[in-house]
Amino acid sequence: MTGNKTQMSDTDVAGFLDRVVPAAKQNDAQVLDTLFRRVTGYQPRMWGTSIIGYGTYHYVYDSGREGDFLATGFSPRKAALSIYIMPGYADFTEILGRLGKHKIGKSCLYVNKLADIDTDVLAELIGAGLANLNARWPVTPT
């Protein structure tokens, strides 16, 4: 079986953050990095070319597919900040209801800018998502 296409890399996180444009998105990305470090206690690692991850986990699905992936993290994409905090195993509706302006995908939260949300609620959501993931697949610090 093949693993996940997106793999951890040795790309320098600080260097990546320094290249984020425009300046407002770069500032939001640096604030998110600080927030994720504080909430998780993990050091960031790059995944692929544009995802900053905190912690890892190894998954094995019933189908036999297995691999390693970031436990939580974000990517300062052009259209929005993509925040990877909801592995899809729990319902975080109550927390999301207090977050502010956002959209959600299958396991991703999309925020246009941090000014649109309550970052204290985001910190709570990151912690809840990480705890939920860790209960299913043990998380390893990075």
Side-chain angles (χ1 to χ4, degrees):
M1 291 275 159
T2 60
N4 197 310
K5 290 191 307 184
T6 304
Q7 298 289 321
M8 189 184 314
S9 75
D10 291 328
T11 302
D12 179 59
V13 173
F16 171 76
L17 288 171
D18 287 343
R19 293 186 301 277
V20 172
V21 291
K25 186 150 303 211
Q26 181 184 74
N27 183 64
D28 279 356
Q30 290 170 334
V31 168
L32 280 175
D33 178 46
T34 300
L35 180 73
F36 273 91
R37 286 176 192 243
R38 179 176 56 81
V39 172
T40 68
Y42 304 152
Q43 293 300 307
R45 293 290 307 269
M46 291 300 300
W47 285 76
T49 59
S50 63
I51 299 173
I52 301 171
Y54 304 81
T56 64
Y57 71 100
H58 183 79
Y59 60 87
V60 181
Y61 295 141
D62 291 341
S63 66
R65 177 184 163 96
E66 66 180 284
D68 298 297
F69 203 58
L70 61 111
T72 189
F74 72 95
S75 181
R77 307 245 189 237
K78 188 177 207 177
L81 297 164
S82 297
I83 304 172
Y84 305 97
I85 52 173
M86 302 174 298
Y89 306 121
D91 180 4
F92 296 113
T93 303
E94 188 277 325
I95 300 172
L96 288 167
R98 295 183 282 116
L99 182 63
K101 185 178 174 185
H102 69 277
K103 294 180 182 176
I104 51 174
K106 185 173 181 177
S107 63
C108 194
L109 176 73
Y110 301 100
V111 174
N112 290 332
K113 57 188 181 291
L114 290 184
D116 290 342
I117 63 168
D118 182 328
T119 54
D120 289 336
V121 174
L122 178 60
E124 179 184 348
L125 186 59
I126 293 166
L130 195 58
N132 179 255
L133 176 64
N134 191 54
R136 182 172 178 103
W137 309 106
V139 174
T140 305
T142 47

